[in-house]
């Protein structure tokens, strides 16, 4: 899935300039932000560990995941926007998705060890 998302992001990054010039000619300055934000597709693999936790009704782990990832996203978003503006918002969103992927995999592994012991 991650390989597929990487391929889709790469294709989007290549074709975004053409699409923007064709459909949004007044917003060509946003091409770069759009291309950077396309990298946020890659860590969408966090959907799978999250779904596994939901399927096993791992409520404690789901609460931890939702609270920690939300606090991280808010905590990184404000300073990133304050210092870097729109680019900071884009980078903060990408980092939030990567963090969500990492924390969901860690919590799924912790849940798996807890259940098996």
């Amino acid at each position: 899935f991650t390989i597929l998302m990487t391929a889709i992001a790469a294709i989007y990054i290549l074709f975004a300039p053409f699409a923007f010039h064709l459909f949004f000619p007044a917003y060509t300055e946003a091409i770069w932000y759009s291309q950077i934000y396309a990298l946020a597709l890659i860590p969408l693999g966090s959907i799978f560990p999250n779904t596994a936790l939901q399927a096993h009704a791992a409520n404690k782990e789901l609460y931890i995941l939702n609270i920690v990832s939300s606090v991280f996203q808010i905590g990184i978003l404000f300073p990133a926007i304050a210092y870097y503006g729109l680019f900071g918002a884009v980078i903060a969103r990408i980092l939030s998705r990567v963090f969500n992927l990492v924390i969901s995999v860690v919590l799924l592994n912790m849940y798996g060890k807890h259940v098996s012991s």
Side-chain angles (χ1 to χ4, degrees), residues 10 15-16 28 30 34-35 37-39 43 57 60-62 68 72 75-76 78 90 96 114-115:
F15 289 105
T28 55
S34 173
Q35 289 173 316
Y37 192 68
L39 297 175
K60 177 183 171 188
E61 287 78 8
L62 287 168
V68 170
F72 179 82
I76 197 168
F78 285 123
V90 170
S96 295
H114 173 71
V115 170

Side-chain angles (χ1 to χ4, degrees), residues 8-110:
I8 290 172
I11 291 168
Y12 178 82
I13 288 168
L14 291 174
F15 289 105
F18 305 110
F20 267 79
H21 287 296
L22 182 64
F23 298 113
F24 311 111
Y27 301 103
T28 55
E29 71 278 354
I31 294 171
W32 189 68
Y33 297 117
S34 173
Q35 289 173 316
I36 297 295
Y37 192 68
L39 297 175
L41 290 172
I42 297 170
L44 280 180
S46 66
I47 293 169
F48 297 117
N50 195 359
T51 304
L53 290 171
Q54 289 173 350
H56 288 281
N59 291 330
K60 177 183 171 188
E61 287 78 8
L62 287 168
Y63 285 134
I64 293 169
L65 174 64
N66 289 327
I67 291 170
V68 170
S69 63
S70 296
V71 168
F72 179 82
Q73 183 173 350
I74 292 169
I76 197 168
L77 197 57
F78 285 123
I81 290 173
Y83 288 110
Y84 302 109
L86 182 58
F87 180 69
V90 170
I91 295 300
R93 190 65 183 123
I94 293 170
L95 291 175
S96 295
R97 286 197 176 168
V98 170
F99 180 78
N100 193 15
L101 172 63
V102 170
I103 196 75
S104 61
V105 168
V106 167
L107 288 171
L108 182 61
N109 286 335
M110 287 174 51

